[in-house]
Amino acid sequence: MSEISNHLSDLKGSLPETCTLVAVSKTKPASDVMEAYATGHRDFGENKVQELAGKAEELPKDIRWHMIGHLQRNKVKYIASFVHLIHGVDSLKLLKEIDKQGQKVDRVIDCLLQIHIAEEDTKFGLDKEELWDILNGEELRAMKNIRIIGLMGMATNTENEEQVRKEFRSLKALFDEIKNSDHTNVQMNTLSMGMSGDYRIAIEEGSNMVRIGSAIFGIRS
């Protein structure tokens, strides 16, 4: 077994069965993706549209590609025909563009709304007011080619585990609140939180999807 398949196997063995592992292959060559693919893994994440589209073209068609990075509206058209899940929807304008491009390729595109939970200015995401405005707005009801299936968030990059835990907990509470309310085009079943450095805390706080790169593929150059 290769180092990548060993890491993947160890990781999967440590995750609950209910948790989806997105192997973040950004900046890594297609050959690394294929090593992971050979183990039976199918969920891969990229944070740049160009790299995502290139790998999707080159690699097996049964891979479920996750767009995990910040997505610009003018780039949606390059991934609309195949992307499995868009994690970082952080504005109504972006949601409308995804709906428009989904219509063009006759697909309903699954999306996660990205919520700003970190105490850092560098992270993208909606605040609670923006989130409820989208969920309660007329425009969401009119969209036929998107489906919001959950939330995504990134905790502060800090050694302070209590802070990270508090941020993840707040996102889980928000997820549950939305899940218990009724909105058109919304099915709260996916909570994407946790990366290589903090996924264990995220899972303890209720995450059912983690985005892990360096713990599988090694440190990026």
Side-chain angles (χ1 to χ4, degrees), residues 152-176:
M152 183 269 250
M154 287 187 275
T156 304
N157 185 10
T158 174
E159 297 294 310
N160 183 345
E161 286 193 7
E162 274 316 302
Q163 184 179 342
V164 171
R165 191 175 292 282
K166 183 183 78 178
E167 290 167 0
F168 285 149
R169 192 169 290 165
S170 73
L171 188 58
K172 175 63 162 69
L174 195 55
F175 176 82
D176 289 339

Side-chain angles (χ1 to χ4, degrees), residues 50-151:
Q50 198 175 350
E51 193 175 353
L52 175 56
K55 283 178 178 164
E57 183 75 21
E58 183 183 348
L59 292 164
K61 297 302 174 231
D62 62 337
I63 287 177
R64 295 184 288 269
W65 290 106
H66 296 247
M67 176 64 199
I68 62 169
H70 180 63
L71 179 58
Q72 294 169 296
R73 296 202 304 278
N74 63 350
K75 302 268 180 80
V76 175
K77 60 190 173 201
Y78 300 115
I79 61 172
S81 64
F82 68 86
V83 69
H84 176 68
L85 180 60
I86 297 175
H87 287 233
V89 179
D90 59 1
S91 71
L92 180 61
K93 283 180 178 175
L94 176 57
L95 203 56
K96 283 159 86 168
E97 182 62 27
I98 297 167
D99 182 61
K100 180 176 135 187
Q101 297 301 333
Q103 197 174 353
K104 285 182 184 176
V105 295
D106 196 25
R107 285 187 75 212
V108 175
I109 299 172
D110 285 340
C111 302
L112 303 179
L113 296 178
Q114 182 172 354
I115 311 302
H116 189 284
I117 56 171
E119 290 180 14
E120 293 172 353
D121 293 333
T122 54
K123 301 279 195 293
F124 293 99
L126 302 159
D127 62 31
K128 283 187 185 179
E129 191 179 341
E130 292 168 323
L131 169 69
W132 288 110
D133 282 350
I134 289 174
L135 293 178
N136 295 323
E138 290 296 323
E139 288 173 289
L140 178 62
R141 293 189 190 95
M143 295 184 203
K144 303 288 184 247
N145 292 84
I146 58 102
R147 181 169 46 224
I148 294 167
I149 65 162
L151 304 179

